[in-house]
Amino acid sequence: MKNGIETRLYVDSSLNTGEMFCLKQKQVHYLKNVLRLGAGDEVALFNGYDGEWRARILTVARQSVDLCILEQTRQQSYEPDVWLAFAPIKRDRINFTVQKATELGVMLLSPVITRYTIVQRVNVNRMRANVIEASEQSNRLTVPKVSELDNLTNLIDSWPIDRTMIVANETASTPIVEIIRMELDCSVKKIGFLIGPEGGFDKLELAILNKLPFAKHASLGKRLLCADTAALAVLAIWQALLCSSFHRHD
Amino acid sequence: MKNGIETRLYVDSSLNTGEMFCLKQKQVHYLKNVLRLGAGDEVALFNGYDGEWRARILTVARQSVDLCILEQTRQQSYEPDVWLAFAPIKRDRINFTVQKATELGVMLLSPVITRYTIVQRVNVNRMRANVIEASEQSNRLTVPKVSELDNLTNLIDSWPIDRTMIVANETASTPIVEIIRMELDCSVKKIGFLIGPEGGFDKLELAILNKLPFAKHASLGKRLLCADTAALAVLAIWQALLCSSFHRHD
């Protein structure tokens, strides 16, 4: 329990008062054997669109746990919409990136292969399990989506043109704070960050990225950051500037 | 090698053209067995105050490596001065925090025990080894200092009054971006962040922190962040705002 937040579980089902709900296998193990909860204990449930609900454990069987959904405790509310496309890195680093990006509010995680990407595979199922766990732990009411691994060309081709792509680009001169402020100023709040591999983008990729009408190129400063540090930095910076812009308009 | 940066080694010694330098045991192993460098190969050396120097490997023996220092390649330059005081967390997380804080330019890492700190010990020697490695990898010309573990009272008592302490405080209302901007506006560039444990600070601690003349309290927004996420977020935000303020004054 963190800061008194009760156990939170993501469920892929509608939530209504009085409904019974039967937990799936993995969550049964977690509840029974890890958290050691039993009949009478309460948990919080969320499904990504109905807010958060209080539920009571009715029965605990060998392979199932039945809950009764009691009442809504939080309404679904607006959550800012930011994507993160990133070149995959080693497994333990990916887990960490995925978890922290989820804490920082990402809505879509898009692993993307580029010319200098070293790691060529990701375990998308593991990433999806990690975002669920991170969403439960971080008190989110939504769970980020995780795309299948794809290459940069396809990422660009399928990128929605109403979403600004902010490319973390070592060759860019405009600091990221200014790029984000410009976006917030024109009320465009749909953005996505593209973080390349540690070798950067190659000349051809940069040429293509430079020509995209929906892309802006941002410098993260003089420091040499690991790709996973850069991924979290951009999300933290964006979060903080967004929060500050809301504060000023209250 | 990352982005074509050659092998960089931190050495605790003065650096001058023509000087011979003998590497210590740990670095000998790293050079010979991990990097497989030999006589004639070049490395970059830095000591935290003389900039960066090119050096050539002269001889490789069983337990020693001799280098000849050739010429200075980078001058020591101004590096912004930010501290990070943080409640310790589990070991793998600490390594990650230490590494990424180093990438993000921290000058001093201060592990601090508070009332709700769960982890009560840190391996300061390991932290010191990690900051050296992270400094070498991230192209820094300095290596952050790591303080011995201490408690919050002593941290506060020894805190220099000319350094603003920015406390990441869930009960604060001013967003961190505004707190940092106010600091940058009055040219006070000596700051330190204080990140509490995941249970937060207790009432007594908050009361003391609220009364400190050099402390400002900043909100990191509505999201619930792990302590290590918060630590990196504040450094990334500070870095980005600093970079943006330099850019505007060019």
Side-chain angles (χ1 to χ4, degrees):
Chain A
M1 237 172 63
K2 209 174 3 176
N3 286 342
I5 306 248
E6 62 215 317
T7 302
R8 304 180 73 241
L9 297 175
Y10 171 75
V11 295
D12 190 10
S13 165
S14 67
L15 296 164
N16 289 298
T17 303
E19 269 186 18
M20 298 300 157
F21 189 77
C22 184
L23 285 183
K24 294 199 181 75
Q25 190 57 21
K26 226 171 141 190
Q27 287 175 324
V28 168
H29 166 75
Y30 178 58
L31 228 67
K32 284 175 61 178
N33 306 325
V34 179
L35 297 178
R36 301 196 183 283
L37 297 179
D41 287 327
E42 288 188 7
V43 297
L45 303 178
F46 66 104
N47 59 13
Y49 50 88
D50 281 330
E52 191 173 280
W53 293 70
R54 199 162 62 91
R56 183 172 295 133
I57 299 174
L58 293 180
T59 53
V60 173
R62 241 183 107 245
Q63 303 217 19
S64 62
V65 169
D66 290 317
L67 304 163
C68 178
I69 298 168
L70 299 175
E71 58 173 358
Q72 191 183 41
T73 47
R74 282 163 74 191
Q75 286 200 334
Q76 196 71 27
S77 55
Y78 166 73
E79 285 189 17
D81 180 7
V82 63
W83 292 4
L84 178 69
F86 63 104
I89 44 184
K90 285 185 251 176
R91 187 167 88 168
D92 53 345
R93 298 264 167 156
I94 282 220
N95 289 343
F96 143 85
T97 299
V98 160
Q99 182 197 51
K100 287 175 182 333
T102 302
E103 288 176 50
L104 288 165
V106 78
M107 285 305 228
L108 173 71
L109 286 154
S110 222
V112 59
I113 300 232
T114 70
R115 171 96 192 277
Y116 294 141
T117 308
I118 296 174
V119 170
Q120 299 278 323
R121 277 188 302 199
V122 294
N123 186 330
V124 171
N125 286 338
R126 181 191 295 275
M127 285 174 69
R128 287 179 177 146
N130 284 342
V131 299
I132 288 175
E133 188 180 334
S135 300
E136 291 168 344
Q137 297 281 340
S138 65
N139 217 23
R140 278 182 73 139
L141 290 176
T142 52
V143 174
K145 288 185 169 49
V146 180
S147 307
E148 294 294 328
L149 183 65
D150 213 335
N151 60 46
L152 186 59
T153 304
N154 289 344
L155 179 84
I156 289 172
D157 285 348
S158 61
W159 192 271
I161 56 170
D162 65 341
R163 182 177 293 270
T164 303
M165 178 192 280
I166 299 178
V167 183
N169 184 344
E170 284 149 1
T171 67
S173 49
T174 314
I176 188 167
V177 163
E178 290 176 33
I179 298 284
I180 292 175
R181 273 207 206 116
M182 286 191 280
E183 292 302 307
L184 292 176
D185 280 348
C186 49
S187 296
V188 174
K189 297 221 176 57
K190 276 197 204 174
I191 64 166
F193 291 102
L194 173 59
I195 307 293
E198 310 210 327
F201 296 107
D202 82 352
K203 281 189 188 165
L204 231 78
E205 291 169 337
L206 278 173
I208 293 169
L209 289 167
N210 273 320
K211 290 207 192 85
L212 294 176
F214 49 78
K216 304 262 164 67
H217 293 257
S219 162
L220 295 187
K222 296 190 171 58
R223 300 201 168 278
L224 190 64
L225 303 179
C226 287
D228 52 347
T229 314
L232 299 184
V234 299
L235 288 174
I237 295 160
W238 174 82
Q239 262 260 76
L241 288 169
L242 187 67
C243 175
S244 171
S245 79
F246 282 152
H247 191 252
R248 277 185 277 117
H249 293 140
D250 278 344
Chain B
M1 232 170 67
K2 211 180 345 183
N3 284 342
I5 307 246
E6 62 214 317
T7 301
R8 304 180 73 244
L9 296 176
Y10 171 74
V11 295
D12 190 10
S13 163
S14 67
L15 296 164
N16 289 297
T17 301
E19 268 187 19
M20 298 299 161
F21 189 79
C22 185
L23 286 183
K24 295 203 181 76
Q25 191 57 20
K26 228 172 138 190
Q27 286 174 325
V28 168
H29 165 75
Y30 178 57
L31 227 67
K32 284 175 61 178
N33 305 324
V34 179
L35 298 177
R36 301 196 183 282
L37 298 181
D41 287 327
E42 288 187 7
V43 297
L45 303 179
F46 66 104
N47 57 14
Y49 50 90
D50 281 331
E52 190 172 280
W53 293 70
R54 200 161 61 91
R56 182 172 295 134
I57 299 174
L58 294 179
T59 54
V60 173
R62 243 185 102 244
Q63 303 217 18
S64 63
V65 170
D66 290 318
L67 305 163
C68 178
I69 298 167
L70 299 174
E71 57 172 359
Q72 191 183 39
T73 46
R74 282 164 72 195
Q75 285 200 337
Q76 197 71 29
S77 56
Y78 165 74
E79 284 191 16
D81 181 9
V82 62
W83 291 5
L84 177 68
F86 63 104
I89 44 184
K90 285 186 247 174
R91 186 168 87 169
D92 55 343
R93 298 264 166 155
I94 282 220
N95 289 342
F96 143 87
T97 298
V98 160
Q99 181 196 50
K100 286 172 183 335
T102 301
E103 289 176 48
L104 288 165
V106 78
M107 285 305 229
L108 174 71
L109 287 155
S110 223
V112 59
I113 301 230
T114 69
R115 170 95 192 280
Y116 293 142
T117 306
I118 295 174
V119 170
Q120 297 279 319
R121 276 186 303 198
V122 293
N123 185 332
V124 172
N125 285 338
R126 180 191 293 276
M127 286 174 69
R128 288 179 178 145
N130 283 342
V131 299
I132 288 174
E133 189 181 332
S135 299
E136 291 168 345
Q137 298 279 339
S138 64
N139 218 23
R140 279 181 72 140
L141 291 175
T142 52
V143 175
K145 287 187 170 48
V146 180
S147 305
E148 294 293 330
L149 183 64
D150 214 335
N151 59 45
L152 185 61
T153 303
N154 289 344
L155 180 86
I156 290 172
D157 285 347
S158 61
W159 192 272
I161 55 168
D162 67 339
R163 181 177 294 270
T164 304
M165 178 193 280
I166 299 180
V167 185
N169 184 343
E170 287 150 358
T171 67
S173 50
T174 314
I176 188 169
V177 162
E178 292 178 30
I179 297 287
I180 292 176
R181 274 206 204 118
M182 286 190 281
E183 292 302 307
L184 293 174
D185 280 347
C186 50
S187 296
V188 174
K189 294 214 177 62
K190 276 198 205 173
I191 63 167
F193 291 103
L194 173 61
I195 308 290
E198 309 210 329
F201 296 106
D202 81 352
K203 281 187 188 167
L204 230 80
E205 291 170 337
L206 279 174
I208 293 168
L209 289 167
N210 272 321
K211 290 206 193 84
L212 295 175
F214 51 75
K216 304 263 162 68
H217 293 257
S219 161
L220 294 188
K222 294 188 174 59
R223 297 202 169 278
L224 190 65
L225 302 180
C226 286
D228 53 346
T229 314
L232 300 184
V234 299
L235 289 173
I237 295 160
W238 174 81
Q239 263 259 76
L241 288 169
L242 188 67
C243 175
S244 170
S245 79
F246 282 153
H247 192 251
R248 277 187 277 116
H249 294 141
D250 281 339

